[in-house]
Amino acid sequence: MAEADSSSEELYDEGNWVFYKYRVDWNDVVPVPQDDGPYPIVAIAYSEKFRDIYDYFRAILKSCEKSERALQLTKDALDLNPANYTVWQYRREILKHLNKDLIPELQYVKEMIEENPKNYQVWHHRRVIVEWLQDPSYELNLTETILSQDAKNYHAWQHRQWVIRTFKLFNNELEYVEQLLDDDIRNNSAWNQRYFVINNTTGFTKEVIDRELEFTLNKIKKVTNNESAWNYLRGVLLHHTGGISQDPAVKKMCEELYLSGNRSPFLLAFLVDMCEEKIERADGDMNDSLQHAVQLCDVLANEYDTIRKEYWNYVARSLSQRMNSSEDEATGSMKTE
């Protein structure tokens, strides 16, 4: 390939790519080849372009060069491997050293996120730049864009929660969550976000608990096979009311669903847990609760949740053993007396 006369900035069109080793403005740099040791077990077949760029990146890393051309080199390196932590870290060092305007960097990393939405390093770089700027004004829109393409993108949710908590941007977040649940009632990430918002704002006061139970019960009635809503219901009850079998509205809905012939595995599993809780609390007829729980475990194991058959058989055996142990202790106590 002929030596290039044009400046580095003009050489990034893929059709006119010029290797760094042929660039006049990089003649002063001695590339550093990757050292895989004398006997590499599985040598990776890097492309010539990849090898060229990373040989020069290792060179500037070794010499600690922090310049405009080094910054551009990190971009070329990240285009080939956006998950390389060392390149991102060094890029941040260069940005700081050159005191660069960080708004263009936000645009750059936005484009990188759109191309690599599940890349941890890209999102981490975004967070650091936002921290430096102390400006979260672009972040909610960015995460909404990514979540509109994949509503369960873990990295987008993690970034959104960090931004909201760090900069106190909780306003309108519940409305956003409700919009997501209207679009997909099974969106577990949206249910998790709902809990996150409430836990970090009003907290689960009596009024909020009543509202959340009503909201969740309505969602469950709409789609009874929605595991996410059942998990949310269970979480609110266990952590904020002291148990899943104590709320009258919840008990009534579960009974009505069951009596109407609904056999959602999540309903049946919830009923098993309600029975188990009643047994632990010695609430009502314990034998009746046990028999009902064992019956539910049987139909779950053999009809409605067969993939977890062994689990439900184990639950039934455990409940029976616990009841037998309790009866034996009670009998022994009576004989002693």
Side-chain angles (χ1 to χ4, degrees):
M1 185 178 291
E3 190 174 89
D5 293 324
S6 53
S7 65
S8 295
E9 289 77 13
E10 297 171 337
L11 298 174
Y12 297 108
D13 178 78
E14 193 64 25
N16 297 318
W17 177 264
V18 176
F19 288 94
Y20 276 83
K21 61 186 176 183
Y22 296 127
R23 300 185 185 188
V24 174
D25 53 348
W26 282 86
N27 280 349
D28 60 310
V29 177
V30 178
V32 177
Q34 178 164 312
D35 183 5
D36 290 325
Y39 307 108
I41 297 175
V42 181
I44 299 174
Y46 298 109
S47 69
E48 187 178 0
K49 180 178 179 180
F50 188 99
R51 194 182 302 277
D52 177 69
I53 289 173
Y54 274 87
D55 285 356
Y56 276 83
F57 173 72
R58 279 185 287 273
I60 65 143
L61 191 62
K62 182 178 180 181
S63 67
C64 297
E65 179 182 330
K66 296 181 177 69
S67 62
E68 290 289 349
R69 70 175 185 176
L71 186 65
Q72 181 61 59
L73 176 59
T74 64
K75 181 179 182 300
D76 290 335
L78 291 167
D79 284 344
L80 293 178
N81 182 10
N84 191 308
Y85 171 82
T86 303
V87 181
W88 282 113
Q89 176 61 32
Y90 199 63
R91 183 176 179 86
R92 288 191 287 274
E93 291 180 20
I94 297 172
L95 288 168
K96 218 162 198 180
H97 179 80
L98 298 178
N99 196 26
K100 296 289 288 184
D101 177 4
L102 296 176
I103 298 302
E105 187 68 10
L106 283 180
Q107 179 59 32
Y108 164 66
V109 75
K110 173 180 178 291
E111 293 167 2
M112 289 292 283
I113 285 172
E114 289 172 345
E115 294 175 8
N116 307 275
K118 294 186 178 181
N119 182 323
Y120 168 79
Q121 299 301 345
V122 183
W123 285 102
H124 177 68
H125 185 72
R126 180 85 184 189
R127 176 185 292 199
V128 173
I129 300 303
V130 173
E131 285 179 328
W132 287 354
L133 285 168
Q134 283 296 297
D135 179 5
S137 56
Y138 302 98
E139 304 316 294
L140 295 186
N141 284 339
L142 171 64
T143 53
E144 286 175 25
T145 298
I146 300 302
L147 292 171
S148 68
Q149 300 161 8
D150 177 4
K152 301 174 185 179
N153 183 310
Y154 170 78
H155 301 287
W157 278 116
Q158 188 179 50
H159 187 74
R160 189 177 182 90
Q161 287 193 353
W162 170 77
V163 168
I164 289 173
R165 182 170 49 237
T166 302
F167 297 98
K168 310 301 180 190
L169 302 178
F170 289 97
N171 288 344
N172 304 318
E173 189 63 10
L174 275 185
E175 288 79 359
Y176 173 64
V177 168
E178 291 190 22
Q179 174 191 327
L180 291 179
L181 291 176
D182 286 341
D183 294 339
D184 177 11
I185 200 170
R186 292 179 171 84
N187 186 340
N188 189 60
S189 299
W191 283 102
N192 178 67
Q193 185 73 350
R194 187 176 184 89
Y195 192 95
F196 165 80
V197 173
I198 294 170
N199 208 39
N200 284 277
T201 53
T202 60
F204 285 87
T205 63
K206 175 65 169 63
E207 181 182 0
V208 171
I209 291 170
D210 291 343
R211 182 197 71 196
E212 290 306 295
L213 291 180
E214 181 181 4
F215 176 85
T216 310
L217 293 179
N218 287 334
K219 295 295 184 185
I220 288 174
K221 289 173 186 176
K222 187 175 180 180
V223 182
T224 56
N225 271 338
N226 176 15
E227 184 177 11
S228 297
W230 283 104
N231 286 342
Y232 186 80
L233 177 66
R234 188 188 304 271
V236 172
L237 290 169
L238 282 175
H239 296 295
H240 304 289
T241 70
I244 66 171
S245 62
Q246 305 304 301
D247 187 86
V250 174
K251 290 170 63 177
K252 181 181 178 183
M253 183 205 70
C254 291
E255 290 169 0
E256 289 176 350
L257 285 175
Y258 186 77
L259 292 174
S260 70
N262 189 293
R263 292 299 181 266
S264 161
F266 309 116
L267 167 65
L268 300 182
F270 199 87
L271 289 171
V272 170
D273 289 345
M274 290 180 75
C275 290
E276 185 174 7
E277 188 173 277
K278 287 180 180 179
I279 293 169
E280 290 175 349
R281 293 171 180 264
D283 181 8
D285 189 328
M286 294 173 65
N287 282 318
D288 185 59
S289 294
L290 172 64
Q291 290 175 10
H292 191 204
V294 170
Q295 178 191 18
L296 291 168
C297 287
D298 181 65
V299 295
L300 279 162
N302 296 297
E303 296 182 59
Y304 301 109
D305 195 13
T306 55
I307 196 169
R308 296 199 297 165
K309 179 175 182 175
E310 294 306 316
Y311 169 75
W312 291 117
N313 288 337
Y314 166 77
V315 172
R317 289 195 305 270
S318 297
L319 285 170
S320 297
Q321 289 169 3
R322 282 164 56 189
M323 281 293 291
N324 290 336
S325 296
S326 297
E327 290 174 358
D328 289 344
E329 288 177 6
T331 302
S333 175
M334 290 174 64
K335 287 180 179 179
T336 303
E337 293 174 358

Coordinates of all heavy atoms in Angstrom, one line a residue, residues 244-281:
I244 N -48.5 -13.1 53.2 CA -49.3 -13.1 52.0 C -50.7 -13.5 52.2 O -51.6 -13.3 51.3 CB -48.7 -14.0 50.9 CG1 -48.7 -15.4 51.3 CG2 -47.3 -13.5 50.6 CD1 -48.3 -16.4 50.2
S245 N -51.0 -14.0 53.4 CA -52.4 -14.5 53.6 C -53.3 -13.6 54.5 O -54.4 -14.0 54.9 CB -52.3 -15.9 54.3 OG -51.7 -15.8 55.5
Q246 N -52.8 -12.4 54.8 CA -53.5 -11.6 55.7 C -54.4 -10.5 55.1 O -55.3 -10.0 55.8 CB -52.4 -10.8 56.6 CG -51.4 -11.7 57.3 CD -52.1 -12.8 58.2 OE1 -52.9 -12.4 59.1 NE2 -51.9 -14.0 57.9
D247 N -54.2 -10.2 53.9 CA -55.0 -9.1 53.2 C -56.3 -9.7 52.7 O -56.3 -10.6 51.9 CB -54.2 -8.5 52.1 CG -55.0 -7.2 51.6 OD1 -54.8 -6.1 52.1 OD2 -55.7 -7.4 50.6
P248 N -57.4 -9.2 53.2 CA -58.7 -9.7 52.7 C -59.0 -9.6 51.2 O -59.5 -10.6 50.7 CB -59.7 -8.8 53.5 CG -59.0 -8.3 54.6 CD -57.6 -8.1 54.2
A249 N -58.6 -8.5 50.6 CA -58.8 -8.4 49.2 C -58.0 -9.4 48.4 O -58.5 -9.9 47.4 CB -58.4 -7.0 48.7
V250 N -56.8 -9.7 48.8 CA -56.0 -10.7 48.1 C -56.6 -12.1 48.3 O -56.7 -12.8 47.3 CB -54.5 -10.6 48.6 CG1 -53.7 -11.8 48.1 CG2 -53.9 -9.3 48.3
K251 N -57.0 -12.4 49.5 CA -57.6 -13.7 49.8 C -58.8 -13.9 49.0 O -59.1 -14.9 48.3 CB -57.9 -13.8 51.3 CG -56.7 -14.0 52.2 CD -57.0 -13.8 53.6 CE -57.9 -14.9 54.1 NZ -58.2 -14.8 55.6
K252 N -59.6 -12.8 48.9 CA -60.9 -12.9 48.1 C -60.6 -13.1 46.7 O -61.3 -14.0 46.0 CB -61.7 -11.6 48.3 CG -63.0 -11.6 47.6 CD -63.8 -10.3 47.8 CE -65.1 -10.3 47.1 NZ -65.8 -9.0 47.2
M253 N -59.7 -12.4 46.1 CA -59.4 -12.6 44.7 C -58.9 -14.0 44.3 O -59.3 -14.6 43.4 CB -58.4 -11.5 44.2 CG -58.1 -11.6 42.7 SD -56.5 -11.0 42.2 CE -55.4 -12.3 42.8
C254 N -58.0 -14.5 45.2 CA -57.4 -15.8 44.9 C -58.5 -16.9 45.0 O -58.6 -17.8 44.2 CB -56.3 -16.1 46.0 SG -54.8 -15.1 45.7
E255 N -59.4 -16.8 46.0 CA -60.5 -17.7 46.2 C -61.4 -17.7 45.0 O -61.9 -18.7 44.5 CB -61.3 -17.4 47.5 CG -60.5 -17.8 48.7 CD -61.1 -17.2 50.0 OE1 -62.2 -16.6 49.9 OE2 -60.6 -17.4 51.1
E256 N -61.8 -16.4 44.5 CA -62.7 -16.3 43.4 C -62.1 -16.9 42.1 O -62.8 -17.5 41.4 CB -63.0 -14.8 43.2 CG -64.0 -14.3 44.3 CD -64.2 -12.8 44.1 OE1 -63.5 -12.1 43.3 OE2 -65.1 -12.3 44.9
L257 N -60.8 -16.6 41.9 CA -60.2 -17.2 40.7 C -60.2 -18.7 40.7 O -60.5 -19.3 39.7 CB -58.7 -16.6 40.6 CG -58.5 -15.2 40.2 CD1 -57.0 -14.8 40.3 CD2 -59.0 -15.0 38.8
Y258 N -59.8 -19.2 41.9 CA -59.7 -20.7 42.0 C -61.1 -21.3 41.8 O -61.3 -22.3 41.1 CB -59.2 -21.1 43.4 CG -58.9 -22.6 43.5 CD1 -57.8 -23.2 42.9 CD2 -59.8 -23.4 44.2 CE1 -57.6 -24.5 43.0 CE2 -59.6 -24.7 44.4 CZ -58.5 -25.3 43.7 OH -58.3 -26.7 43.9
L259 N -62.1 -20.8 42.5 CA -63.5 -21.3 42.4 C -64.1 -21.2 41.0 O -64.9 -22.0 40.6 CB -64.4 -20.6 43.4 CG -64.1 -21.0 44.9 CD1 -64.9 -20.1 45.8 CD2 -64.3 -22.5 45.2
S260 N -63.6 -20.2 40.3 CA -64.1 -20.0 38.9 C -63.5 -21.0 37.9 O -63.8 -21.0 36.7 CB -63.8 -18.6 38.4 OG -62.4 -18.4 38.2
G261 N -62.5 -21.8 38.4 CA -61.9 -22.8 37.5 C -60.5 -22.4 37.0 O -59.9 -23.1 36.2
N262 N -60.0 -21.2 37.4 CA -58.7 -20.7 37.0 C -57.6 -21.6 37.6 O -57.6 -21.8 38.8 CB -58.5 -19.3 37.4 CG -57.2 -18.7 36.7 OD1 -56.1 -19.1 37.0 ND2 -57.5 -17.7 35.8
R263 N -56.7 -22.1 36.8 CA -55.7 -23.0 37.2 C -54.3 -22.5 36.8 O -53.4 -23.2 36.5 CB -55.9 -24.4 36.8 CG -57.1 -25.1 37.4 CD -57.0 -25.2 38.9 NE -58.1 -25.9 39.5 CZ -59.2 -25.3 40.0 NH1 -59.2 -23.9 40.0 NH2 -60.1 -25.9 40.6
S264 N -54.1 -21.2 36.8 CA -52.8 -20.6 36.5 C -51.8 -21.2 37.5 O -52.1 -21.2 38.7 CB -52.9 -19.1 36.7 OG -51.6 -18.5 36.9
P265 N -50.7 -21.6 37.1 CA -49.7 -22.2 38.0 C -49.2 -21.2 39.1 O -48.8 -21.5 40.2 CB -48.5 -22.6 37.1 CG -48.7 -21.9 35.8 CD -50.2 -21.7 35.7
F266 N -49.3 -19.9 38.7 CA -48.9 -18.9 39.6 C -49.9 -18.6 40.7 O -49.6 -18.4 41.9 CB -48.6 -17.6 38.9 CG -47.6 -17.8 37.7 CD1 -48.0 -17.6 36.4 CD2 -46.3 -18.3 37.9 CE1 -47.2 -17.8 35.3 CE2 -45.5 -18.5 36.9 CZ -45.9 -18.3 35.6
L267 N -51.2 -18.8 40.3 CA -52.2 -18.7 41.3 C -52.1 -19.9 42.3 O -52.2 -19.8 43.5 CB -53.6 -18.8 40.6 CG -54.8 -19.0 41.6 CD1 -55.0 -17.9 42.6 CD2 -56.1 -19.2 40.7
L268 N -51.9 -21.1 41.7 CA -51.8 -22.3 42.6 C -50.6 -22.3 43.5 O -50.7 -22.6 44.7 CB -51.8 -23.6 41.7 CG -53.0 -23.8 40.7 CD1 -52.8 -25.1 39.9 CD2 -54.3 -23.8 41.5
A269 N -49.5 -21.8 43.0 CA -48.3 -21.7 43.8 C -48.6 -20.7 44.9 O -48.1 -20.8 46.1 CB -47.1 -21.2 42.9
F270 N -49.3 -19.6 44.6 CA -49.6 -18.6 45.6 C -50.5 -19.2 46.7 O -50.3 -18.9 47.9 CB -50.3 -17.4 45.0 CG -50.2 -16.1 45.8 CD1 -49.2 -15.2 45.7 CD2 -51.3 -15.8 46.6 CE1 -49.1 -14.1 46.4 CE2 -51.3 -14.6 47.4 CZ -50.2 -13.8 47.3
L271 N -51.4 -20.0 46.3 CA -52.3 -20.6 47.3 C -51.6 -21.6 48.2 O -51.8 -21.7 49.3 CB -53.4 -21.3 46.5 CG -54.5 -20.4 45.9 CD1 -55.4 -21.2 45.0 CD2 -55.3 -19.7 46.9
V272 N -50.6 -22.3 47.6 CA -49.7 -23.2 48.4 C -49.0 -22.4 49.5 O -49.0 -22.8 50.6 CB -48.7 -23.9 47.5 CG1 -47.7 -24.7 48.4 CG2 -49.4 -24.9 46.6
D273 N -48.5 -21.3 49.1 CA -47.7 -20.4 50.0 C -48.7 -19.9 51.1 O -48.3 -19.7 52.3 CB -47.0 -19.3 49.3 CG -45.8 -19.8 48.5 OD1 -45.4 -20.9 48.7 OD2 -45.4 -19.0 47.6
M274 N -49.9 -19.6 50.7 CA -50.9 -19.1 51.7 C -51.2 -20.2 52.7 O -51.3 -19.9 53.9 CB -52.2 -18.6 51.0 CG -52.0 -17.3 50.1 SD -53.5 -16.8 49.3 CE -54.5 -16.2 50.7
C275 N -51.4 -21.4 52.2 CA -51.7 -22.5 53.1 C -50.5 -22.7 54.1 O -50.7 -22.9 55.3 CB -51.9 -23.8 52.3 SG -53.5 -23.8 51.4
E276 N -49.3 -22.7 53.5 CA -48.1 -22.9 54.3 C -47.9 -21.8 55.4 O -47.6 -22.1 56.6 CB -46.8 -22.9 53.4 CG -45.5 -23.2 54.2 CD -44.4 -23.4 53.3 OE1 -44.5 -23.1 52.1 OE2 -43.3 -23.7 53.8
E277 N -48.3 -20.6 55.0 CA -48.2 -19.5 56.0 C -49.2 -19.7 57.1 O -49.0 -19.5 58.3 CB -48.4 -18.2 55.3 CG -48.2 -17.0 56.2 CD -48.3 -15.7 55.4 OE1 -47.3 -15.3 54.8 OE2 -49.4 -15.0 55.4
K278 N -50.4 -20.2 56.8 CA -51.5 -20.4 57.8 C -51.0 -21.5 58.7 O -51.3 -21.5 59.9 CB -52.8 -20.8 57.1 CG -53.5 -19.7 56.4 CD -54.8 -20.2 55.7 CE -55.5 -19.1 55.0 NZ -56.7 -19.5 54.3
I279 N -50.3 -22.6 58.2 CA -49.8 -23.7 59.0 C -48.8 -23.1 60.0 O -48.8 -23.4 61.2 CB -49.2 -24.8 58.2 CG1 -50.4 -25.5 57.4 CG2 -48.5 -25.8 59.0 CD1 -49.9 -26.4 56.3
E280 N -47.9 -22.3 59.5 CA -46.8 -21.7 60.4 C -47.4 -20.8 61.5 O -46.9 -20.8 62.6 CB -45.9 -20.9 59.5 CG -45.0 -21.8 58.6 CD -44.1 -21.0 57.7 OE1 -44.3 -19.7 57.6 OE2 -43.2 -21.5 57.0
R281 N -48.5 -20.1 61.1 CA -49.1 -19.2 62.1 C -50.1 -19.9 63.0 O -50.7 -19.3 63.8 CB -49.8 -18.1 61.3 CG -48.9 -17.1 60.6 CD -49.7 -16.2 59.7 NE -48.8 -15.2 59.0 CZ -48.6 -14.0 59.4 NH1 -49.0 -13.6 60.6 NH2 -47.8 -13.2 58.7

